[in-house]
Amino acid sequence: MEIGIDSFASAMYGSTSLSSVDAMEQLLERISVADEAGLDIFGIGEHHKKEFLDSAPAVILAAAAAMTKRIRLTSAVTVLSTSDPVRVYQAFATLDLISKGRAEIVVGRGSAIDAYPLFGFDLQNYDALFSEKLDLLLKIRDQEFVTWSGKFRPSLQNLPVYPRALQSNIPVWLGVGGTPESFVRAGRLGLPLMVAVIGGETARFRPLVDLYRKAGKDAGFSPEQLKVGLHSPGYVAANTQQAVEEYYPGYAKLWTRAGKQRGWPPVTRAGFNQAIAPEGVLVVGGPEEVAKKLIRHSEALGGVDRFTFQMDNAGLTHQQLISSIKLIGEKVIPLVK
């Protein structure tokens, strides 16, 4: 199992007065520490809100590429429905050259809808936009000269797209939430799957993962091609009591505020305790407890090839995050392996 971090480039860590310049500097330091600590992957999301600095993830990842040596760098996710696939490929092909072959892309429709009005797209075309643009992105990835036509973007007639990535087949993962059709689409295309599970119990996604694997098998793809990744909120401290004490206040604040926007109930300590229980989704605890939970999650889904912690949390300081990243590299990864 590969293990890493996903970040939304939050400007909230530890203090609401943290400047955007300082927040970005700290984020790049954390990516560098993750590289040194032996983590496998670091992802940057895409949002267009005041509290996040990740509206241009490929730019952040390129800066990180120049500071790191081995860690793979990915989006988490690129909102492909509101992006031009040509520009997406060009940005990540450039990142691949800078990083000497360490770039990946996770694409999705976007759980937040702020990009749609910002870039002039109609939410009524939410899925159709994604389906068409994914088709074009994969053609660009696989062919230097592209002939293509669709509904939402001007056609291409035997036109080349440059630069080409160093990797001949730069990985494109499909990021999904809970829509069965999205799991089937990933399987049918033979794309690796990144499942975002932020509430409830991870095991409830097993039927959807099984749909993905069946669709992939029916389309002629081998089990080795049908990778499954899992993205969930989490945090590691020296022991579980410390992890909970440091993580819960900011978690409750962040998700209660998000709930007001999305119609979720406020976070309670009872609900949090259920979420950090053995079958719950939150991966919060000491290294031993976290390692056991990652293995348990993998078994629940029939095998997980990659896990990424989502640590953006208003209550955590930069130094606490640095410590958590080091613990993941020094203790959690060896325990899982």
Side-chain angles (χ1 to χ4, degrees):
M1 183 193 301
E2 295 178 322
I3 298 176
I5 306 287
D6 286 336
S7 173
F8 299 158
S10 174
M12 302 182 295
Y13 289 118
S15 170
T16 55
S17 62
L18 187 67
S19 74
S20 296
V21 171
D22 289 340
M24 189 65 73
E25 182 180 22
Q26 290 179 2
L27 172 62
L28 292 172
E29 182 182 350
R30 291 196 294 274
I31 301 175
S32 182
V33 169
D35 181 52
E36 295 169 359
L39 275 67
D40 298 295
I41 190 84
F42 205 106
I44 300 293
E46 180 188 335
H47 297 81
H48 303 272
K49 298 179 180 180
K50 184 177 182 179
E51 62 265 34
F52 300 119
L53 303 174
D54 60 347
S55 63
V59 178
I60 300 174
L61 293 169
M67 302 169 61
T68 56
K69 296 180 180 180
R70 54 163 301 279
I71 196 166
R72 297 190 67 78
L73 302 165
T74 185
S75 59
V77 305
T78 294
V79 185
L80 188 59
S81 304
T82 61
S83 303
D84 187 327
V86 173
R87 296 298 284 164
V88 169
Y89 178 82
Q90 289 175 325
F92 281 87
T94 303
L95 171 63
D96 204 45
L97 297 175
I98 295 170
S99 66
K100 296 181 173 63
R102 293 184 281 132
E104 300 189 7
I105 314 171
V106 181
V107 297
R109 297 178 298 181
S111 60
I113 62 172
D114 38 286
Y116 288 81
L118 183 63
F119 297 111
F121 291 97
D122 191 338
L123 271 171
Q124 292 184 344
N125 300 320
Y126 183 74
D127 188 69
L129 280 163
F130 180 74
S131 180
E132 177 177 298
K133 292 186 176 186
L134 178 60
D135 176 64
L136 177 55
L137 177 64
L138 295 177
K139 280 186 168 59
I140 294 169
R141 179 190 68 169
D142 297 337
Q143 304 169 16
E144 183 175 342
F145 286 79
V146 179
T147 296
W148 177 91
S149 62
K151 177 181 178 181
F152 300 104
R153 189 201 185 282
S155 61
L156 299 173
Q157 296 297 325
N158 197 37
L159 289 176
V161 177
Y162 300 119
R164 303 306 297 176
L166 178 61
Q167 299 174 88
S168 59
N169 193 21
I170 187 170
V172 176
W173 295 64
L174 188 56
V176 298
T179 307
E181 292 79 9
S182 296
F183 286 79
V184 171
R185 172 161 46 206
R188 191 176 64 247
L189 295 172
L191 297 177
L193 182 77
M194 179 55 72
V195 188
V197 182
I198 60 174
E201 295 184 354
T202 301
R204 67 189 172 93
F205 281 79
R206 178 61 183 268
L208 295 172
V209 173
D210 287 344
L211 275 179
Y212 162 70
R213 292 185 170 121
K214 183 180 185 304
K217 181 180 179 181
D218 291 346
F221 295 100
S222 68
E224 292 74 23
Q225 293 173 285
L226 301 172
K227 295 182 178 180
V228 175
L230 176 61
H231 157 105
S232 292
Y235 177 66
V236 185
N239 57 66
T240 296
Q241 181 180 351
Q242 179 184 342
V244 169
E245 290 176 353
E246 293 177 353
Y247 187 80
Y248 174 71
Y251 173 86
K253 179 180 178 182
L254 177 67
W255 289 98
T256 296
R257 183 175 62 189
K260 291 180 180 179
Q261 300 172 350
R262 301 194 182 192
W264 303 335
V267 173
T268 65
R269 186 57 185 261
F272 176 80
N273 289 342
Q274 186 175 4
I276 64 172
E279 306 304 326
V281 65
L282 296 184
V283 186
V284 176
E288 293 79 10
E289 288 77 18
V290 165
K292 290 176 183 177
K293 196 158 195 177
L294 292 184
I295 294 169
R296 193 180 300 116
H297 280 343
S298 181
E299 292 171 346
L301 296 181
V304 167
D305 300 282
R306 174 178 292 178
F307 179 84
T308 53
F309 290 84
Q310 206 289 86
M311 289 191 187
D312 288 326
N313 187 324
L316 296 172
T317 67
H318 175 56
Q319 288 305 318
Q320 286 172 328
L321 291 164
I322 290 286
S323 176
S324 188
I325 289 169
K326 290 180 178 179
L327 284 170
I328 292 169
E330 295 169 2
K331 295 190 176 183
V332 174
I333 289 176
L335 284 168
V336 171
K337 290 185 176 180

PDB file of all heavy atoms in Angstrom, residues 20-30 67 318:
ATOM      1  N   SER A  20      -1.253  34.341   3.383  1.00  0.00           N
ATOM      2  CA  SER A  20      -1.191  33.403   2.267  1.00  0.00           C
ATOM      3  C   SER A  20       0.248  33.052   1.906  1.00  0.00           C
ATOM      4  O   SER A  20       0.548  31.907   1.563  1.00  0.00           O
ATOM      5  CB  SER A  20      -1.906  33.997   1.044  1.00  0.00           C
ATOM      6  OG  SER A  20      -3.277  34.187   1.305  1.00  0.00           O
ATOM      7  N   VAL A  21       1.143  34.012   2.014  1.00  0.00           N
ATOM      8  CA  VAL A  21       2.552  33.763   1.719  1.00  0.00           C
ATOM      9  C   VAL A  21       3.130  32.753   2.706  1.00  0.00           C
ATOM     10  O   VAL A  21       3.801  31.780   2.319  1.00  0.00           O
ATOM     11  CB  VAL A  21       3.362  35.076   1.763  1.00  0.00           C
ATOM     12  CG1 VAL A  21       4.857  34.787   1.685  1.00  0.00           C
ATOM     13  CG2 VAL A  21       2.947  35.984   0.614  1.00  0.00           C
ATOM     14  N   ASP A  22       2.843  32.946   3.992  1.00  0.00           N
ATOM     15  CA  ASP A  22       3.350  32.026   5.013  1.00  0.00           C
ATOM     16  C   ASP A  22       2.724  30.640   4.864  1.00  0.00           C
ATOM     17  O   ASP A  22       3.398  29.622   5.015  1.00  0.00           O
ATOM     18  CB  ASP A  22       3.068  32.574   6.407  1.00  0.00           C
ATOM     19  CG  ASP A  22       3.916  33.787   6.744  1.00  0.00           C
ATOM     20  OD1 ASP A  22       4.957  33.979   6.084  1.00  0.00           O
ATOM     21  OD2 ASP A  22       3.537  34.548   7.654  1.00  0.00           O
ATOM     22  N   ALA A  23       1.422  30.604   4.566  1.00  0.00           N
ATOM     23  CA  ALA A  23       0.738  29.318   4.415  1.00  0.00           C
ATOM     24  C   ALA A  23       1.326  28.522   3.258  1.00  0.00           C
ATOM     25  O   ALA A  23       1.521  27.304   3.361  1.00  0.00           O
ATOM     26  CB  ALA A  23      -0.757  29.542   4.202  1.00  0.00           C
ATOM     27  N   MET A  24       1.640  29.202   2.169  1.00  0.00           N
ATOM     28  CA  MET A  24       2.217  28.503   1.013  1.00  0.00           C
ATOM     29  C   MET A  24       3.631  28.018   1.323  1.00  0.00           C
ATOM     30  O   MET A  24       4.015  26.891   0.960  1.00  0.00           O
ATOM     31  CB  MET A  24       2.224  29.427  -0.206  1.00  0.00           C
ATOM     32  CG  MET A  24       2.595  28.721  -1.494  1.00  0.00           C
ATOM     33  SD  MET A  24       1.383  27.470  -1.997  1.00  0.00           S
ATOM     34  CE  MET A  24       0.032  28.517  -2.548  1.00  0.00           C
ATOM     35  N   GLU A  25       4.401  28.850   2.002  1.00  0.00           N
ATOM     36  CA  GLU A  25       5.757  28.453   2.375  1.00  0.00           C
ATOM     37  C   GLU A  25       5.728  27.225   3.280  1.00  0.00           C
ATOM     38  O   GLU A  25       6.516  26.284   3.109  1.00  0.00           O
ATOM     39  CB  GLU A  25       6.462  29.612   3.080  1.00  0.00           C
ATOM     40  CG  GLU A  25       7.905  29.297   3.471  1.00  0.00           C
ATOM     41  CD  GLU A  25       8.582  30.460   4.168  1.00  0.00           C
ATOM     42  OE1 GLU A  25       7.875  31.328   4.716  1.00  0.00           O
ATOM     43  OE2 GLU A  25       9.823  30.512   4.165  1.00  0.00           O
ATOM     44  N   GLN A  26       4.815  27.199   4.226  1.00  0.00           N
ATOM     45  CA  GLN A  26       4.701  26.066   5.131  1.00  0.00           C
ATOM     46  C   GLN A  26       4.252  24.807   4.393  1.00  0.00           C
ATOM     47  O   GLN A  26       4.743  23.701   4.676  1.00  0.00           O
ATOM     48  CB  GLN A  26       3.719  26.395   6.260  1.00  0.00           C
ATOM     49  CG  GLN A  26       4.242  27.443   7.235  1.00  0.00           C
ATOM     50  CD  GLN A  26       3.251  27.773   8.335  1.00  0.00           C
ATOM     51  OE1 GLN A  26       2.166  27.191   8.398  1.00  0.00           O
ATOM     52  NE2 GLN A  26       3.601  28.701   9.210  1.00  0.00           N
ATOM     53  N   LEU A  27       3.310  24.947   3.467  1.00  0.00           N
ATOM     54  CA  LEU A  27       2.860  23.795   2.689  1.00  0.00           C
ATOM     55  C   LEU A  27       4.016  23.170   1.921  1.00  0.00           C
ATOM     56  O   LEU A  27       4.202  21.946   1.925  1.00  0.00           O
ATOM     57  CB  LEU A  27       1.756  24.219   1.719  1.00  0.00           C
ATOM     58  CG  LEU A  27       1.319  23.157   0.706  1.00  0.00           C
ATOM     59  CD1 LEU A  27       0.743  21.935   1.403  1.00  0.00           C
ATOM     60  CD2 LEU A  27       0.313  23.746  -0.280  1.00  0.00           C
ATOM     61  N   LEU A  28       4.821  23.989   1.259  1.00  0.00           N
ATOM     62  CA  LEU A  28       5.950  23.463   0.499  1.00  0.00           C
ATOM     63  C   LEU A  28       6.968  22.791   1.424  1.00  0.00           C
ATOM     64  O   LEU A  28       7.573  21.776   1.059  1.00  0.00           O
ATOM     65  CB  LEU A  28       6.607  24.580  -0.305  1.00  0.00           C
ATOM     66  CG  LEU A  28       5.754  25.141  -1.456  1.00  0.00           C
ATOM     67  CD1 LEU A  28       6.418  26.371  -2.071  1.00  0.00           C
ATOM     68  CD2 LEU A  28       5.531  24.076  -2.535  1.00  0.00           C
ATOM     69  N   GLU A  29       7.132  23.331   2.625  1.00  0.00           N
ATOM     70  CA  GLU A  29       8.023  22.676   3.591  1.00  0.00           C
ATOM     71  C   GLU A  29       7.475  21.304   3.974  1.00  0.00           C
ATOM     72  O   GLU A  29       8.225  20.334   4.088  1.00  0.00           O
ATOM     73  CB  GLU A  29       8.192  23.542   4.835  1.00  0.00           C
ATOM     74  CG  GLU A  29       9.161  22.920   5.853  1.00  0.00           C
ATOM     75  CD  GLU A  29       9.300  23.735   7.117  1.00  0.00           C
ATOM     76  OE1 GLU A  29       8.807  24.888   7.177  1.00  0.00           O
ATOM     77  OE2 GLU A  29       9.908  23.206   8.085  1.00  0.00           O
ATOM     78  N   ARG A  30       6.163  21.198   4.157  1.00  0.00           N
ATOM     79  CA  ARG A  30       5.576  19.910   4.525  1.00  0.00           C
ATOM     80  C   ARG A  30       5.736  18.874   3.402  1.00  0.00           C
ATOM     81  O   ARG A  30       5.973  17.693   3.669  1.00  0.00           O
ATOM     82  CB  ARG A  30       4.099  20.082   4.889  1.00  0.00           C
ATOM     83  CG  ARG A  30       3.877  20.841   6.178  1.00  0.00           C
ATOM     84  CD  ARG A  30       2.472  20.675   6.709  1.00  0.00           C
ATOM     85  NE  ARG A  30       1.448  21.266   5.872  1.00  0.00           N
ATOM     86  CZ  ARG A  30       1.058  22.534   5.927  1.00  0.00           C
ATOM     87  NH1 ARG A  30       1.629  23.377   6.792  1.00  0.00           N
ATOM     88  NH2 ARG A  30       0.097  22.983   5.159  1.00  0.00           N
ATOM     89  N   MET A  67      11.838  20.938  -5.186  1.00  0.00           N
ATOM     90  CA  MET A  67      12.373  20.815  -3.833  1.00  0.00           C
ATOM     91  C   MET A  67      12.464  19.364  -3.365  1.00  0.00           C
ATOM     92  O   MET A  67      12.946  19.104  -2.263  1.00  0.00           O
ATOM     93  CB  MET A  67      11.465  21.581  -2.849  1.00  0.00           C
ATOM     94  CG  MET A  67      11.289  23.050  -3.152  1.00  0.00           C
ATOM     95  SD  MET A  67       9.970  23.809  -2.149  1.00  0.00           S
ATOM     96  CE  MET A  67      10.592  23.553  -0.492  1.00  0.00           C
ATOM     97  N   HIS A 318       1.391  24.121  11.990  1.00  0.00           N
ATOM     98  CA  HIS A 318       2.381  23.625  11.031  1.00  0.00           C
ATOM     99  C   HIS A 318       3.294  22.592  11.676  1.00  0.00           C
ATOM    100  O   HIS A 318       3.572  21.540  11.092  1.00  0.00           O
ATOM    101  CB  HIS A 318       3.185  24.819  10.509  1.00  0.00           C
ATOM    102  CG  HIS A 318       4.312  24.461   9.598  1.00  0.00           C
ATOM    103  ND1 HIS A 318       4.148  23.721   8.448  1.00  0.00           N
ATOM    104  CD2 HIS A 318       5.650  24.749   9.671  1.00  0.00           C
ATOM    105  CE1 HIS A 318       5.317  23.573   7.843  1.00  0.00           C
ATOM    106  NE2 HIS A 318       6.241  24.178   8.563  1.00  0.00           N
TER     107      HIS A 318
END
